[in-house]
């Protein structure tokens, strides 16, 4: 069993063959399927809604990790859970009543994930660490795949890892944006244990070889990684 989780972001998949792409990603060793929902307000881009998540759910056997880059996420939580999301990620920047939103996600029976933009300090999520199943640190500004990894996010990853371990919590620390063979070691060495990958994964040509290469890079960090 791998200690590290690979979450291909279907934003970089071939949308005309989405079902096949999900099957291929799973066959290559994807642990989660990451689904990027964008509203054209919180982020400039527009992507997909609950209908597409429901279609993905027909095909996927791994959990659908739904990342909501939308204003007013409370309005859509139920719709995405009904569509088949296994986890819902909400940005701290979009939630006025963050604790309430996270509690509502758990009440709906799915994993609650809190997400921070690169310029948002870690301190913003410390008060809710006991109320989440995942923390997702954005390592690019959300909105598009294929952007360059922002190194200044590394100390924040380490800080959050220290809090999670110090409090003895079972929280998955996830990174998203610009992660690939060149950057995965840096984020792993700072405490990330789950990796969203869009362009590096779907642009690799051979998904299985890519996943194996990522796990090979992560091998030295397995001893530090507490995840079973
Ligand atoms: C960015 C999305 C990411 C994106 C990652 O706003 O949240 O999930 O698809 O793509 P890469 O891995 O290409 O940066
Ligand atoms: Zn994402």
């Amino acid at each position: 069993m791998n200690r590290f989780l690979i979450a291909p972001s279907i934003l970089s998949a071939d949308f005309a063959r989405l079902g096949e792409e999900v099957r291929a990603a799973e066959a290559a060793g994807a642990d989660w399927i990451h689904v990027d929902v964008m509203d054209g307000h919180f982020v400039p881009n527009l992507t997909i809604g609950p209908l597409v998540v429901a279609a993905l759910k027909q095909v996927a056997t791994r959990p659908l990790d739904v990342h909501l880059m939308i204003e007013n996420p409370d309005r859509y939580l139920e719709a995405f859970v009904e569509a088949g999301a296994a986890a819902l990620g909400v940005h701290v920047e979009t939630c006025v009543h963050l604790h309430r939103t996270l509690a509502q996600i758990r009440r709906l029976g799915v994993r609650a994930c809190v997400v921070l933009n690169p310029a948002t300090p870690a301190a913003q999520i410390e008060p809710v660490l006991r109320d989440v199943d995942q923390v997702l640190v954005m390592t690019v500004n959300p909105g598009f795949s294929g952007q360059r990894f922002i190194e200044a996010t590394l100390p924040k990853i380490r800080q959050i890892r220290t809090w999670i371990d110090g409090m003895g919590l079972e929280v998955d620390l996830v990174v998203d944006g610009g992660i690939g063979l060149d950057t995965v070691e840096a984020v792993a060495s700072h405490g990330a244990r789950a990796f969203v990958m869009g362009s590096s994964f779907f642009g690799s040509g051979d998904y299985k070889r890519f996943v194996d290469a990522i796990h090979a890079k992560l091998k030295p960090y397995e001893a530090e990684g507490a995840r079973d």
Side-chain angles (χ1 to χ4, degrees):
M1 170 98 191
N2 291 316
R3 289 165 177 273
F4 296 101
L5 301 172
I6 308 283
S9 158
I10 55 126
L11 191 57
S12 295
D14 178 352
F15 269 44
R17 301 169 35 251
L18 216 39
E20 282 169 52
E21 289 277 65
V22 168
R23 283 195 197 96
E26 292 188 347
D31 296 287
W32 300 338
I33 301 296
H34 185 82
V35 184
D36 289 303
V37 175
M38 305 185 187
D39 67 350
H41 293 277
F42 175 59
V43 291
N45 205 358
L46 274 168
T47 56
I48 67 169
L51 266 180
V52 176
V53 173
L56 290 168
K57 179 69 185 158
Q58 302 296 312
V59 177
T61 63
R62 309 299 305 170
L64 296 177
D65 176 43
V66 176
H67 177 188
L68 298 177
M69 285 159 276
I70 62 176
E71 282 177 7
N72 224 331
D74 301 75
R75 285 170 51 189
Y76 293 99
L77 299 178
E78 234 174 297
F80 281 103
V81 170
E82 275 168 22
L88 282 182
V90 291
H91 274 256
V92 291
E93 303 86 6
T94 63
C95 295
V96 180
H97 305 291
L98 182 60
H99 179 273
R100 181 191 289 161
T101 300
L102 294 167
Q104 176 62 8
I105 293 172
R106 279 186 161 176
R107 213 174 296 126
L108 290 169
V110 300
R111 286 165 65 87
C113 174
V114 67
V115 189
L116 305 96
N117 275 342
T120 303
Q124 293 233 4
I125 60 144
E126 195 197 1
V128 297
L129 270 180
R130 294 178 193 282
D131 306 298
V132 298
D133 303 288
Q134 303 170 200
V135 173
L136 189 158
V137 175
M138 288 303 304
T139 43
V140 300
N141 290 297
F144 302 93
S145 57
Q147 301 181 82
R148 206 184 139 89
F149 174 75
I150 299 172
E151 255 178 58
T153 56
L154 288 172
K156 184 160 60 178
I157 296 166
R158 171 149 296 151
Q159 172 66 81
I160 296 169
R161 164 59 54 204
T162 304
W163 285 334
I164 290 172
D165 292 349
M167 295 181 201
L169 301 173
E170 297 268 324
V171 171
D172 285 322
L173 182 49
V174 192
V175 284
D176 183 4
I179 308 298
L181 288 166
D182 295 344
T183 49
V184 74
E185 287 172 275
V187 284
S189 69
H190 284 76
R193 293 290 172 264
F195 310 91
V196 175
M197 290 183 273
S199 48
S200 61
F201 182 96
F202 286 101
S204 67
D206 185 333
Y207 304 161
K208 172 87 173 77
R209 251 178 81 171
F210 178 77
V211 171
D212 291 347
I214 288 285
H215 281 303
K217 290 255 182 201
L218 292 172
K219 201 129 195 75
Y221 304 98
E222 272 178 14
E224 306 170 25
R227 201 171 200 297
D228 298 308

